[in-house]
């Protein structure tokens, strides 16, 4: 029997909820020899996904009227991860629907006629990465209008999504952050969404992201994870250089901040005053977000809160991102200029690390036992109902637990060598984005091989094939084919 989380003599609503959750989770562990518990019920989940896509979402989703691109993305990405091809008619219907959400002044809104917002713009563009194509009616070439011109920095001639780019610039704040919409708030989720879209659509420039790495770094809290934002600090009437983080470290914000930090690496120049992230403290925080055995090893989003299936991706998926910063259980700890206070391997003892920073087996069991709803779809945890968001992120989290996807130096070289055109930061960013590779023989699948889901790109949460397809189009590059996987 697993040990319950220790309590003191003063029960609180929080400690009672934790104990109740532990009991419920334990009730979902299949009895020994009971069989069936380790099965990913792909068909049940597919039925739910198909029903939502074909018949429309049930009435209870009306509260998500401003999140229609998200409902689309969660559904399409669930199909992709579950290895389900989408037929051409359904793809076209999806493209036509997505394009109705485009705002005439650039970006996408949460629905037709809604204001453009950074979050639905990410969801719409990533949905188009899955179902879109080049050419008339394919979505990709209808994103904004394409105008060929020389950018202010003569070094960066590129095909621009003009309106989208200008809208992004209009959201930029003096501290390097971005507001999520016209008159909206600042939030690292929005910055992550902006950076992914800018990178995919080839509108990333040094001008756009000037100051953004420093803002991201300022959101790291004393715990090691990241909060939603940071704020200016006035001391004795003078604006201090240091910006305190705003709020509590949280798995969702931490994923967004870390992915942003990794995306921004080609745009950060090394030097004394380069912004720094404390990667070691971040790793410690991430590791501690994995629940105990009695919580089935699911992840929680913040200290002293409950495990929840969606953090299987937001936290479970973050470990792969650390590999881009040289922090891998497979190699000694990093000594790069950007890793700030990272300890030397000999001091940290990281050389002794196992081949994973989290318990991949336990996370898969949490998702299979507790994340799956018996009627199809995945959820936060029992006894909750499934929903589109948790279905997508439980499946993506399952993927993160099953596969090691890492930035392959060999693949980086191959992509770089095939690059045609000016060899600058744009070429570097392209190669960094597309060097992520699924390790051969690196899959670890709990249950039968039928439980396997596709690997997902750690930065974008798209399959690697979809990421390559859309980026090849917008950068006008040919992405070299990957060698066929050895059959096992
Ligand atoms: C707390 O909810 C949740 C948040 C404060 C925000 C979470 C952010 C994400 C999941 C990232 C989303 C990313 C993008 C790209 C849009 P809660 O109090 O209900 O949950 P908790 O108890 O688990 O913290
Ligand atoms: Zn959740």
């Amino acid at each position: 029997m697993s040990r319950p989380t220790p309590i003191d003599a003063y029960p609180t609503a929080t400690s009672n909820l934790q104990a109740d959750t532990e009991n419920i989770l334990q009730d979902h562990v299949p009895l020994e020899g009971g069989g069936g518990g380790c099965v990913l019920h792909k068909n049940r989940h597919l039925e739910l996904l198909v029903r939502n896509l074909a018949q429309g979402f049930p009435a209870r989703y009306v509260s998500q009227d401003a999140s229609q691109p998200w409902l689309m993305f969660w559904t399409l990405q669930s199909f992709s991860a579950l290895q389900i091809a989408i037929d051409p008619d359904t793809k076209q219907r999806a493209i036509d629907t997505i394009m109705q959400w485009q705002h005439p002044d650039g970006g996408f809104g949460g629905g037709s006629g809604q204001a453009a917002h950074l979050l639905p713009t990410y969801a719409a563009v990533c949905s188009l990465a899955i179902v879109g194509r080049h050419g008339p009616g394919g979505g990709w070439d209808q994103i904004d209008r394409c105008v060929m011109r020389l950018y202010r920095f003569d070094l960066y001639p590129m095909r621009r999504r003009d309106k989208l780019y200008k809208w992004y610039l209009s959201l930029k704040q003096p501290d390097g952050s971005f507001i999520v919409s016209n008159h909206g708030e600042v939030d690292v989720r929005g910055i992550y969404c902006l950076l992914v879209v800018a990178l995919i659509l080839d509108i990333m420039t040094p001008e756009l992201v000037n100051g953004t790495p420093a803002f991201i770094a300022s959101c790291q809290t004393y715990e090691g994870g990241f909060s939603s934002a940071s704020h200016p600090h006035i001391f004795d009437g003078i604006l201090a250089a240091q910006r305190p983080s705003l709020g509590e470290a949280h798995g969702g914000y931490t994923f967004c901040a870390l992915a942003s930090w990794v995306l921004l690496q080609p745009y950060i120049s090394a030097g004394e005053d380069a912004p720094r992230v404390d990667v070691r403290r971040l790793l410690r925080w991430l590791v501690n977000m994995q629940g105990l055995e009695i919580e089935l090893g699911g992840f929680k989003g913040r200290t002293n809160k409950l495990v929840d299936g969606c953090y299987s991706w937001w936290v479970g998926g973050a470990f792969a991102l650390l590999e881009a910063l040289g922090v891998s259980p497979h190699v000694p700890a990093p000594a790069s200029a950007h890793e700030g206070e990272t300890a030397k391997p000999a001091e940290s003892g990281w050389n002794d690390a196992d081949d994973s920073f989290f318990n991949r087996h336990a996370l898969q069991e949490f998702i299979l036992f507790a994340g799956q709803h018996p009627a199809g779809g995945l959820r936060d945890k029992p006894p909750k109902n499934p929903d589109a968001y948790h279905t997508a992120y439980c499946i993506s989290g399952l993927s993160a637990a099953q596969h090691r996807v890492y930035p392959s130096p060999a693949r980086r070289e191959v992509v770089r060598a095939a690059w045609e055109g000016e060899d600058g930061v744009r070429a570097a960013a392209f190669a960094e984005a597309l060097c992520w590779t699924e390790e051969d023989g690196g899959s670890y699948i709990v249950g039968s091989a039928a439980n396997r889901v596709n690997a997902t790109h750690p930065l974008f949460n798209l399959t690697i094939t979809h990421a390559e397809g859309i980026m090849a189009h917008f950068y006008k590059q040919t992405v070299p084919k990957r060698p066929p996987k050895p059959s096992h």
Side-chain angles (χ1 to χ4, degrees), residues 194-219:
L194 175 145
L195 294 174
V196 167
V197 170
L199 181 61
I200 287 181
L201 300 186
D202 188 17
I203 57 171
M204 189 85 116
T205 65
E207 177 194 31
L208 183 66
V209 298
N210 182 29
T212 309
F215 179 81
I216 293 291
S218 73
C219 299

Side-chain angles (χ1 to χ4, degrees), residues 70 118-119 122 168 188-198 260:
W70 282 109
L118 292 179
L119 270 60
Y122 159 90
Y168 277 174
V188 288
R189 288 175 297 184
I191 299 177
Y192 163 73
C193 289
L194 175 145
L195 294 174
V196 167
V197 170
S260 301

Side-chain angles (χ1 to χ4, degrees), residues 307-312 314 379-381 384 387 389-390 393-394:
V307 290
D308 172 343
C310 66
Y311 302 126
S312 308
W314 300 120
R379 59 187 168 188
D380 167 346
K381 59 185 151 297
K384 299 207 177 182
D387 60 73
Y389 165 84
H390 285 95
Y393 291 111
C394 283

